Amino acid sequence: MTASEIQNIVLMQGFAGLSLFSVLLLMGLGLAIIFGQMGVINMAHGEFMTVGAYTIYLCGRLAEGHSQALLKVYFPFAIVAAFGAAFVIGWLVEWSLIRHLYRRPLDTLLATWGISLALQQSFRSIFGAKEVSITLPDWLLGSWSPHPGLDIPINGMFVMGLTFLVTGGVLLALYRSRWGLRVRATVANRPMANAAGINTKKTDRLTFAIGCGIAGIAGAAFTTIGSAGPTSGSLYIVDAFLVVTFGGAASLLGTVASAFSIAQAQSITEFFMTGSMARVVTLLTIVSILMIRPQGLFAAKVRR
């Protein structure tokens, strides 16, 4: 194997790591927002990702059944629908259950785990136990070759672009919108935010729903690189929690840095060993770093 071939393989592995980084970052963003403000450990977060994936699947089937012209343009609208579906379900879950369990972290964890199991069974009942694949538009197929021997999938570049767009939108909303101001005030000092006239309960509900909606977008991104099944979200939930914990709870900058580090480490390590061993090595490295720095890479300063 020549040096040029090895270089191309390493670059391909690095780009595969960027695709994994995109999904992990979208999953981690939603978790970081929910946990950072409300302290809720949402074990059903992966299922909201699956909601987004199945929404894309249904939109694709609908477009495919009507016309080929609609099939070419449906995907961006389907992403918006995926966010909306996960947002609405998240809003209902917070209103019906989560709001009664604040300041009871163990009960919240068990309740969201139960929701996770219920949603998985619902997916099996509606869509079946087998995984489903979507029909991608023509403009998402194929690859880009910057030079001979190096092929970069177009769908991977689209997922990265979508991730940067969503991440930038979340940061802009947090620091340039009334909702973001309320969120930051609630995180800094909830009693003082209440005293200042901020409806923290409404802010919690909206934040939980937005976090779930971002997970729905992660599901939409996932459908471009893999098939969706009832347990697809549960395959990423552990990695998403690792991203949030390693980056530092309530730190969006830490979430970005952590997702990139974990994804690249796992992808490049897979070039030298099996996928299972690569995950083990990555996990052991993260645990070792957390033993030295338990607060994560970027510790958020919160006034108590």
Side-chain angles (χ1 to χ4, degrees), residues 161 218 248 253 268 275 291:
L253 178 60
I268 293 177
M291 290 178 66

Side-chain angles (χ1 to χ4, degrees), residues 94-105:
E94 200 281 340
W95 173 80
S96 62
L97 182 63
I98 302 299
R99 67 189 177 103
H100 302 293
L101 301 175
Y102 288 134
R103 294 177 295 277
R104 294 159 59 184

Side-chain angles (χ1 to χ4, degrees), residues 79-97:
I79 293 175
V80 177
F83 173 84
F87 179 94
V88 170
I89 296 176
W91 181 284
L92 293 175
V93 167
E94 200 281 340
W95 173 80
S96 62
L97 182 63

Side-chain angles (χ1 to χ4, degrees), residues 105-121:
L106 181 59
D107 292 345
T108 306
L109 188 149
L110 293 175
T112 54
W113 182 54
I115 293 172
S116 169
L117 296 179
L119 286 175
Q120 287 184 25
Q121 187 57 46

Side-chain angles (χ1 to χ4, degrees), residues 100-290:
H100 302 293
L101 301 175
Y102 288 134
R103 294 177 295 277
R104 294 159 59 184
L106 181 59
D107 292 345
T108 306
L109 188 149
L110 293 175
T112 54
W113 182 54
I115 293 172
S116 169
L117 296 179
L119 286 175
Q120 287 184 25
Q121 187 57 46
S122 299
F123 298 146
R124 290 189 182 93
S125 301
I126 298 172
F127 300 100
K130 294 183 178 180
E131 294 185 344
V132 296
S133 300
I134 69 165
T135 303
L136 292 175
D138 293 339
W139 51 271
L140 276 178
L141 301 176
S143 61
W144 173 58
S145 299
H147 62 80
L150 179 61
D151 295 319
I152 299 177
I154 294 177
N155 58 350
M157 291 190 292
F158 174 81
V159 169
M160 284 193 295
L162 176 65
T163 302
F164 293 143
L165 180 65
V166 172
T167 304
V170 170
L171 291 174
L172 189 65
L174 275 175
Y175 293 99
R176 291 292 185 269
S177 71
R178 295 181 64 86
W179 167 73
L181 179 62
R182 291 168 182 164
V183 169
R184 288 183 286 119
T186 303
V187 171
N189 194 317
R190 183 177 291 269
M192 187 61 70
N194 276 318
I198 296 176
N199 188 338
T200 55
K201 292 183 178 179
K202 184 178 179 180
T203 302
D204 286 341
R205 188 166 305 150
L206 182 59
T207 303
F208 189 88
I210 289 175
C212 294
I214 295 173
I217 296 178
F222 172 76
T223 58
T224 66
I225 57 177
S227 54
T231 59
S232 294
S234 61
L235 300 178
Y236 282 88
I237 188 64
V238 174
D239 289 336
F241 274 114
L242 281 177
V243 166
V244 175
T245 304
F246 185 49
S251 173
L252 293 185
L253 178 60
T255 301
V256 175
S258 175
F260 181 81
S261 302
I262 292 174
Q264 287 298 327
Q266 184 171 318
S267 179
I268 293 177
T269 308
E270 285 179 357
F271 177 70
F272 301 100
M273 58 187 68
T274 63
S276 299
M277 284 302 300
R279 289 177 64 88
V280 170
V281 170
T282 304
L283 178 60
L284 289 177
T285 304
I286 294 171
V287 171
S288 301
I289 295 175
L290 287 176

